[in-house]
Amino acid sequence: GAVVSQHPSRVICKSGTSVKIECRSLDFQATTMFWYRQFPKKSLMLMATSNEGSKATYEQGVEKDKFLINHASLTLSTLTVTSAHPEDSSFYICSAPRSIAGGPNEQFFGPGTRLTVL
Amino acid sequence: AQKITQTQPGMFVQEKEAVTLDCTYDTSDQSYGLFWYKQPSSGEMIFLIYQGSYDEQNATEGRYSLNFQKARKSANLVISASQLGDSAMYFCAMRRPDTNAGKSTFGDGTTLTVKP
């Protein structure tokens, strides 16, 4: 079953509103989570690293005031798209690393959130 | 910096045949991990196979195998006996396997279509 959940799976909002996306690790704790953005038929672009108990680390070119990240607990990270505009429409995916016995630290991905800004 | 290159935007394969999806990478790290993910139209990323940079044998997972050629910096995915359900977008990715917080670098992806 899924080990990382995202909510909502799909959201449509009006331009100028803010949208919050939740990413939860199920049955394991994640001190770090990652937020990616994906345009149709394109690659995943890392936006930021969410750190539990401290500030998120943003990739170059990502507006921290536009994409607010809060890692409130060891199982929950939230991404808030503030004052959303049509160009923010995209597929947002989170991931959380988890140690696998005898193997590499695996990244488990959430199912993604499709944001459409009208 | 790490870079992943997937040169095939789209591939077609006949059902039950094998197909190879290309992936080359560039990194200055000595230790790294290479991953392949499948992304169906639903959007979720499904982990397929992993190859560590120090692994001497090519990784295999069921119908998936990774043709790892370290000197050429290539990590091609081979899917044997293709099925209609294999139609999806496939991503090659790289990251350091030694930390719990390793970031992944993804290629641009290859869209695979399996024909009946």
Side-chain angles (χ1 to χ4, degrees), chain A residues 58-70:
Chain A
Y58 290 83
E59 296 300 302
Q60 192 172 8
V62 177
E63 300 176 60
K64 62 179 71 174
D65 294 331
K66 174 74 167 176
F67 300 99
L68 299 179
I69 290 173
N70 183 30

Side-chain angles (χ1 to χ4, degrees), chain A residues 31-32 34 36 38 41-46 49 59 91 93 97-99 104-107 109-112 114, chain B residues 35 37 39 41-45 47 50 89 91 95 97-109 111:
Chain A
T31 56
T32 302
F34 300 96
Y36 295 85
Q38 185 183 27
K41 300 292 186 183
K42 296 296 183 183
S43 184
L44 277 72
M45 301 300 296
L46 180 66
T49 302
E59 296 300 302
F91 193 58
I93 306 175
R98 179 182 182 185
S99 298
N105 291 325
E106 180 51 72
Q107 269 201 55
F109 289 86
R114 192 165 302 282
Chain B
F35 301 79
Y37 293 91
Q39 187 180 41
S41 57
S42 60
E44 64 174 313
M45 296 289 285
F47 165 73
Y50 163 82
M89 200 156 183
F91 290 97
R95 67 182 174 93
D98 56 329
T99 66
N100 195 38
K103 297 185 288 189
S104 292
T105 300
F106 287 84
D108 288 339
T111 300

Side-chain angles (χ1 to χ4, degrees), chain A residues 51-112:
Chain A
N51 304 299
E52 189 271 335
S54 64
K55 292 182 180 180
T57 306
Y58 290 83
E59 296 300 302
Q60 192 172 8
V62 177
E63 300 176 60
K64 62 179 71 174
D65 294 331
K66 174 74 167 176
F67 300 99
L68 299 179
I69 290 173
N70 183 30
H71 200 137
S73 74
L74 289 171
T75 59
L76 173 64
S77 174
T78 60
L79 168 68
T80 301
V81 183
T82 62
S83 187
H85 288 92
E87 57 265 30
D88 298 324
S89 298
S90 193
F91 193 58
Y92 293 87
I93 306 175
C94 71
S95 74
R98 179 182 182 185
S99 298
I100 302 294
N105 291 325
E106 180 51 72
Q107 269 201 55
F108 289 92
F109 289 86

